[in-house]
Short mmCIF file of all heavy atoms in Angstrom, two decimals:
data_model
loop_
_atom_site.label_atom_id
_atom_site.label_comp_id
_atom_site.label_asym_id
_atom_site.label_seq_id
_atom_site.Cartn_x
_atom_site.Cartn_y
_atom_site.Cartn_z
N TRP Q 1 -1.05 0.41 -9.20
CA TRP Q 1 -1.90 0.33 -10.39
C TRP Q 1 -3.23 1.02 -10.05
O TRP Q 1 -4.26 0.38 -9.87
CB TRP Q 1 -2.13 -1.13 -10.79
CG TRP Q 1 -0.98 -1.71 -11.56
CD1 TRP Q 1 -0.91 -1.88 -12.91
CD2 TRP Q 1 0.27 -2.20 -11.04
NE1 TRP Q 1 0.30 -2.43 -13.26
CE2 TRP Q 1 1.05 -2.63 -12.14
CE3 TRP Q 1 0.80 -2.29 -9.75
CZ2 TRP Q 1 2.32 -3.17 -12.00
CZ3 TRP Q 1 2.08 -2.81 -9.61
CH2 TRP Q 1 2.82 -3.24 -10.72
N THR Q 2 -3.19 2.33 -9.91
CA THR Q 2 -4.34 3.08 -9.39
C THR Q 2 -4.73 4.26 -10.28
O THR Q 2 -5.39 5.19 -9.81
CB THR Q 2 -4.05 3.58 -7.96
OG1 THR Q 2 -2.83 4.33 -7.95
CG2 THR Q 2 -3.93 2.41 -6.98
N GLU Q 3 -4.36 4.21 -11.54
CA GLU Q 3 -4.70 5.29 -12.46
C GLU Q 3 -6.23 5.45 -12.54
O GLU Q 3 -6.95 4.51 -12.86
CB GLU Q 3 -4.15 4.97 -13.85
CG GLU Q 3 -4.48 5.98 -14.92
CD GLU Q 3 -4.11 5.47 -16.31
OE1 GLU Q 3 -3.14 4.70 -16.42
OE2 GLU Q 3 -4.80 5.84 -17.27
N GLY Q 4 -6.72 6.65 -12.20
CA GLY Q 4 -8.14 6.94 -12.32
C GLY Q 4 -9.00 6.47 -11.16
O GLY Q 4 -10.23 6.61 -11.21
N VAL Q 5 -8.39 5.93 -10.08
CA VAL Q 5 -9.16 5.53 -8.90
C VAL Q 5 -8.54 6.18 -7.65
O VAL Q 5 -7.33 6.38 -7.58
CB VAL Q 5 -9.21 3.99 -8.72
CG1 VAL Q 5 -10.02 3.35 -9.82
CG2 VAL Q 5 -7.83 3.38 -8.66
N PRO Q 6 -9.37 6.54 -6.68
CA PRO Q 6 -8.85 7.25 -5.51
C PRO Q 6 -8.09 6.32 -4.56
O PRO Q 6 -8.39 5.13 -4.46
CB PRO Q 6 -10.13 7.78 -4.83
CG PRO Q 6 -11.21 6.82 -5.25
CD PRO Q 6 -10.84 6.38 -6.64
N VAL Q 7 -7.09 6.89 -3.88
CA VAL Q 7 -6.35 6.17 -2.83
C VAL Q 7 -6.35 7.06 -1.60
O VAL Q 7 -5.87 8.20 -1.65
CB VAL Q 7 -4.90 5.87 -3.26
CG1 VAL Q 7 -4.19 5.07 -2.16
CG2 VAL Q 7 -4.86 5.11 -4.58
N GLU Q 8 -6.89 6.57 -0.48
CA GLU Q 8 -6.96 7.37 0.75
C GLU Q 8 -5.55 7.69 1.26
O GLU Q 8 -4.63 6.88 1.14
CB GLU Q 8 -7.68 6.60 1.87
CG GLU Q 8 -8.94 5.88 1.51
CD GLU Q 8 -9.07 4.57 2.28
OE1 GLU Q 8 -8.43 3.59 1.89
OE2 GLU Q 8 -9.81 4.56 3.27
N ASP Q 9 -5.42 8.85 1.89
CA ASP Q 9 -4.14 9.21 2.51
C ASP Q 9 -3.75 8.20 3.58
O ASP Q 9 -2.58 7.85 3.73
CB ASP Q 9 -4.23 10.61 3.13
CG ASP Q 9 -4.30 11.71 2.07
OD1 ASP Q 9 -3.92 11.44 0.90
OD2 ASP Q 9 -4.76 12.82 2.40
N GLU Q 10 -4.76 7.72 4.35
CA GLU Q 10 -4.47 6.74 5.41
C GLU Q 10 -3.93 5.44 4.82
O GLU Q 10 -3.04 4.82 5.40
CB GLU Q 10 -5.74 6.44 6.22
CG GLU Q 10 -6.27 7.62 7.01
CD GLU Q 10 -7.34 8.38 6.22
OE1 GLU Q 10 -7.30 8.34 4.96
OE2 GLU Q 10 -8.18 9.02 6.86
N ALA Q 11 -4.45 5.05 3.66
CA ALA Q 11 -3.95 3.85 3.00
C ALA Q 11 -2.52 4.04 2.53
O ALA Q 11 -1.68 3.14 2.66
CB ALA Q 11 -4.85 3.47 1.83
N ARG Q 12 -2.21 5.21 2.01
CA ARG Q 12 -0.83 5.50 1.58
C ARG Q 12 0.13 5.43 2.76
O ARG Q 12 1.23 4.87 2.64
CB ARG Q 12 -0.75 6.87 0.91
CG ARG Q 12 -1.38 6.93 -0.47
CD ARG Q 12 -1.12 8.28 -1.13
NE ARG Q 12 -1.82 8.41 -2.39
CZ ARG Q 12 -1.37 7.96 -3.56
NH1 ARG Q 12 -0.18 7.37 -3.62
NH2 ARG Q 12 -2.07 8.12 -4.67
N ARG Q 13 -0.28 5.98 3.91
CA ARG Q 13 0.58 5.94 5.09
C ARG Q 13 0.80 4.50 5.54
O ARG Q 13 1.91 4.11 5.92
CB ARG Q 13 -0.03 6.77 6.22
CG ARG Q 13 0.19 8.26 6.07
CD ARG Q 13 -0.13 9.01 7.35
NE ARG Q 13 -1.56 9.04 7.62
CZ ARG Q 13 -2.38 9.97 7.17
NH1 ARG Q 13 -1.93 10.95 6.41
NH2 ARG Q 13 -3.67 9.94 7.48
N GLN Q 14 -0.28 3.70 5.49
CA GLN Q 14 -0.18 2.31 5.90
C GLN Q 14 0.77 1.55 4.96
O GLN Q 14 1.60 0.74 5.41
CB GLN Q 14 -1.58 1.68 5.88
CG GLN Q 14 -1.69 0.35 6.61
CD GLN Q 14 -3.13 -0.12 6.68
OE1 GLN Q 14 -3.85 -0.06 5.69
NE2 GLN Q 14 -3.55 -0.60 7.84
N LEU Q 15 0.67 1.81 3.67
CA LEU Q 15 1.56 1.17 2.70
C LEU Q 15 3.01 1.55 2.95
O LEU Q 15 3.91 0.70 2.88
CB LEU Q 15 1.15 1.57 1.28
CG LEU Q 15 -0.14 0.97 0.74
CD1 LEU Q 15 -0.62 1.73 -0.49
CD2 LEU Q 15 0.05 -0.52 0.41
N MET Q 16 3.26 2.81 3.25
CA MET Q 16 4.63 3.26 3.51
C MET Q 16 5.21 2.59 4.75
O MET Q 16 6.39 2.23 4.78
CB MET Q 16 4.68 4.78 3.61
CG MET Q 16 4.41 5.47 2.29
SD MET Q 16 4.40 7.27 2.38
CE MET Q 16 6.15 7.61 2.55
N ASN Q 17 4.37 2.41 5.78
CA ASN Q 17 4.83 1.70 6.98
C ASN Q 17 5.27 0.28 6.64
O ASN Q 17 6.31 -0.20 7.10
CB ASN Q 17 3.73 1.66 8.03
CG ASN Q 17 3.54 2.98 8.74
OD1 ASN Q 17 4.43 3.83 8.74
ND2 ASN Q 17 2.38 3.16 9.35
N THR Q 18 4.47 -0.39 5.82
CA THR Q 18 4.81 -1.77 5.44
C THR Q 18 6.08 -1.79 4.58
O THR Q 18 6.95 -2.66 4.77
CB THR Q 18 3.64 -2.42 4.66
OG1 THR Q 18 2.45 -2.35 5.45
CG2 THR Q 18 3.94 -3.87 4.33
N ALA Q 19 6.20 -0.84 3.68
CA ALA Q 19 7.37 -0.80 2.78
C ALA Q 19 8.68 -0.58 3.53
O ALA Q 19 9.76 -0.89 3.00
CB ALA Q 19 7.17 0.30 1.74
N ARG Q 20 8.60 -0.07 4.75
CA ARG Q 20 9.81 0.18 5.54
C ARG Q 20 10.28 -1.06 6.31
O ARG Q 20 11.35 -1.01 6.94
CB ARG Q 20 9.57 1.34 6.51
CG ARG Q 20 9.45 2.69 5.84
CD ARG Q 20 9.49 3.84 6.83
NE ARG Q 20 9.37 5.12 6.15
CZ ARG Q 20 8.26 5.85 6.08
NH1 ARG Q 20 7.15 5.41 6.68
NH2 ARG Q 20 8.23 6.99 5.43
N MET Q 21 9.50 -2.12 6.30
CA MET Q 21 9.94 -3.32 7.00
C MET Q 21 11.18 -3.87 6.30
O MET Q 21 11.24 -3.91 5.06
CB MET Q 21 8.82 -4.35 7.05
CG MET Q 21 7.56 -3.86 7.77
SD MET Q 21 7.86 -3.27 9.46
CE MET Q 21 8.14 -4.83 10.29
N PRO Q 22 12.18 -4.33 7.06
CA PRO Q 22 13.49 -4.64 6.47
C PRO Q 22 13.53 -5.87 5.56
O PRO Q 22 14.48 -6.05 4.81
CB PRO Q 22 14.38 -4.87 7.70
CG PRO Q 22 13.42 -5.25 8.79
CD PRO Q 22 12.17 -4.47 8.52
N PHE Q 23 12.49 -6.68 5.60
CA PHE Q 23 12.50 -7.93 4.84
C PHE Q 23 11.62 -7.88 3.59
O PHE Q 23 11.40 -8.90 2.94
CB PHE Q 23 12.06 -9.09 5.74
CG PHE Q 23 10.86 -8.76 6.60
CD1 PHE Q 23 9.58 -8.72 6.08
CD2 PHE Q 23 11.04 -8.44 7.94
CE1 PHE Q 23 8.50 -8.38 6.85
CE2 PHE Q 23 9.94 -8.11 8.74
CZ PHE Q 23 8.68 -8.08 8.19
N ILE Q 24 11.10 -6.70 3.23
CA ILE Q 24 10.32 -6.57 2.00
C ILE Q 24 11.24 -6.82 0.80
O ILE Q 24 12.36 -6.29 0.74
CB ILE Q 24 9.67 -5.17 1.90
CG1 ILE Q 24 8.69 -4.95 3.06
CG2 ILE Q 24 8.97 -5.00 0.54
CD1 ILE Q 24 7.51 -5.88 3.11
N PHE Q 25 10.77 -7.59 -0.16
CA PHE Q 25 11.55 -7.94 -1.35
C PHE Q 25 11.20 -7.01 -2.51
O PHE Q 25 10.03 -6.97 -2.94
CB PHE Q 25 11.28 -9.40 -1.72
CG PHE Q 25 11.93 -9.85 -3.00
CD1 PHE Q 25 13.30 -10.06 -3.06
CD2 PHE Q 25 11.17 -10.07 -4.15
CE1 PHE Q 25 13.90 -10.48 -4.23
CE2 PHE Q 25 11.76 -10.49 -5.33
CZ PHE Q 25 13.14 -10.70 -5.37
N ARG Q 26 12.14 -6.26 -2.99
CA ARG Q 26 12.07 -5.38 -4.18
C ARG Q 26 11.10 -4.21 -4.04
O ARG Q 26 11.49 -3.07 -4.02
CB ARG Q 26 11.72 -6.18 -5.44
CG ARG Q 26 12.88 -7.01 -5.96
CD ARG Q 26 12.51 -7.70 -7.25
NE ARG Q 26 12.38 -6.77 -8.36
CZ ARG Q 26 13.34 -6.55 -9.27
NH1 ARG Q 26 14.49 -7.18 -9.18
NH2 ARG Q 26 13.13 -5.71 -10.27
N HIS Q 27 9.79 -4.47 -3.94
CA HIS Q 27 8.80 -3.39 -3.85
C HIS Q 27 7.46 -3.97 -3.42
O HIS Q 27 7.26 -5.19 -3.46
CB HIS Q 27 8.64 -2.66 -5.18
CG HIS Q 27 8.18 -3.53 -6.32
ND1 HIS Q 27 9.04 -4.17 -7.17
CD2 HIS Q 27 6.92 -3.88 -6.75
CE1 HIS Q 27 8.36 -4.87 -8.07
NE2 HIS Q 27 7.06 -4.70 -7.83
N LEU Q 28 6.55 -3.12 -2.98
CA LEU Q 28 5.15 -3.50 -2.79
C LEU Q 28 4.40 -3.26 -4.09
O LEU Q 28 4.68 -2.28 -4.80
CB LEU Q 28 4.48 -2.67 -1.68
CG LEU Q 28 5.00 -2.77 -0.25
CD1 LEU Q 28 4.08 -1.97 0.67
CD2 LEU Q 28 5.11 -4.20 0.22
N ALA Q 29 3.43 -4.12 -4.38
CA ALA Q 29 2.55 -3.90 -5.52
C ALA Q 29 1.15 -3.61 -4.99
O ALA Q 29 0.65 -4.33 -4.12
CB ALA Q 29 2.52 -5.13 -6.43
N VAL Q 30 0.53 -2.55 -5.50
CA VAL Q 30 -0.76 -2.09 -4.98
C VAL Q 30 -1.80 -2.12 -6.08
O VAL Q 30 -1.61 -1.54 -7.16
CB VAL Q 30 -0.63 -0.66 -4.39
CG1 VAL Q 30 -1.98 -0.17 -3.88
CG2 VAL Q 30 0.40 -0.66 -3.26
N MET Q 31 -2.90 -2.79 -5.80
CA MET Q 31 -3.96 -2.98 -6.79
C MET Q 31 -4.96 -1.82 -6.75
O MET Q 31 -5.05 -1.10 -5.75
CB MET Q 31 -4.67 -4.31 -6.52
CG MET Q 31 -3.75 -5.54 -6.53
SD MET Q 31 -2.97 -5.81 -8.13
CE MET Q 31 -1.30 -5.23 -7.83
N PRO Q 32 -5.77 -1.63 -7.80
CA PRO Q 32 -6.65 -0.46 -7.86
C PRO Q 32 -7.82 -0.47 -6.87
O PRO Q 32 -8.45 0.57 -6.67
CB PRO Q 32 -7.17 -0.49 -9.31
CG PRO Q 32 -6.95 -1.87 -9.79
CD PRO Q 32 -5.75 -2.38 -9.07
N ASP Q 33 -8.08 -1.61 -6.22
CA ASP Q 33 -9.15 -1.64 -5.21
C ASP Q 33 -8.61 -1.32 -3.82
O ASP Q 33 -9.27 -1.57 -2.82
CB ASP Q 33 -9.85 -3.00 -5.21
CG ASP Q 33 -8.91 -4.18 -4.99
OD1 ASP Q 33 -7.68 -4.00 -5.15
OD2 ASP Q 33 -9.38 -5.28 -4.66
N VAL Q 34 -7.42 -0.75 -3.75
CA VAL Q 34 -6.73 -0.51 -2.48
C VAL Q 34 -7.55 0.35 -1.53
O VAL Q 34 -8.18 1.33 -1.93
CB VAL Q 34 -5.35 0.13 -2.75
CG1 VAL Q 34 -5.49 1.47 -3.48
CG2 VAL Q 34 -4.56 0.31 -1.46
N HIS Q 35 -7.56 -0.03 -0.24
CA HIS Q 35 -8.13 0.81 0.81
C HIS Q 35 -7.59 0.38 2.17
O HIS Q 35 -7.02 -0.71 2.31
CB HIS Q 35 -9.67 0.82 0.79
CG HIS Q 35 -10.30 -0.52 0.96
ND1 HIS Q 35 -10.39 -1.44 -0.06
CD2 HIS Q 35 -10.91 -1.10 2.02
CE1 HIS Q 35 -11.02 -2.52 0.36
NE2 HIS Q 35 -11.34 -2.35 1.63
N LEU Q 36 -7.77 1.25 3.14
CA LEU Q 36 -7.26 1.02 4.49
C LEU Q 36 -7.77 -0.31 5.04
O LEU Q 36 -8.94 -0.65 4.88
CB LEU Q 36 -7.71 2.17 5.40
CG LEU Q 36 -7.13 2.20 6.81
CD1 LEU Q 36 -5.66 2.56 6.78
CD2 LEU Q 36 -7.90 3.22 7.66
N GLY Q 37 -6.89 -1.06 5.66
CA GLY Q 37 -7.28 -2.34 6.26
C GLY Q 37 -6.67 -2.51 7.63
O GLY Q 37 -5.81 -1.73 8.04
N LYS Q 38 -7.11 -3.54 8.33
CA LYS Q 38 -6.53 -3.85 9.63
C LYS Q 38 -5.23 -4.62 9.40
O LYS Q 38 -5.20 -5.60 8.68
CB LYS Q 38 -7.50 -4.69 10.46
CG LYS Q 38 -6.95 -5.09 11.84
CD LYS Q 38 -7.98 -5.82 12.66
CE LYS Q 38 -7.38 -6.47 13.91
NZ LYS Q 38 -6.63 -5.54 14.76
N GLY Q 39 -4.15 -4.15 9.99
CA GLY Q 39 -2.87 -4.82 9.83
C GLY Q 39 -2.11 -4.33 8.62
O GLY Q 39 -1.06 -3.72 8.74
N SER Q 40 -2.64 -4.59 7.45
CA SER Q 40 -2.03 -4.10 6.22
C SER Q 40 -3.13 -3.65 5.26
O SER Q 40 -4.30 -3.99 5.43
CB SER Q 40 -1.18 -5.19 5.55
OG SER Q 40 0.04 -5.36 6.24
N THR Q 41 -2.72 -2.93 4.24
CA THR Q 41 -3.66 -2.33 3.31
C THR Q 41 -4.32 -3.38 2.45
O THR Q 41 -3.65 -4.24 1.86
CB THR Q 41 -2.91 -1.33 2.42
OG1 THR Q 41 -1.94 -0.64 3.22
CG2 THR Q 41 -3.86 -0.34 1.81
N ILE Q 42 -5.64 -3.34 2.35
CA ILE Q 42 -6.36 -4.25 1.47
C ILE Q 42 -6.09 -3.84 0.03
O ILE Q 42 -6.09 -2.65 -0.30
CB ILE Q 42 -7.87 -4.22 1.80
CG1 ILE Q 42 -8.08 -4.74 3.22
CG2 ILE Q 42 -8.66 -5.05 0.79
CD1 ILE Q 42 -9.44 -4.47 3.80
#
């Protein structure tokens, strides 16, 4: 949900890493305040 707000490339890579974990259910949901975080994307 990021229409009209920037998303860093590093945050996108971090999200993709999390999405590849085998126990994720259906999909990740990403809010418009998204940015790089420690461990997982804020």
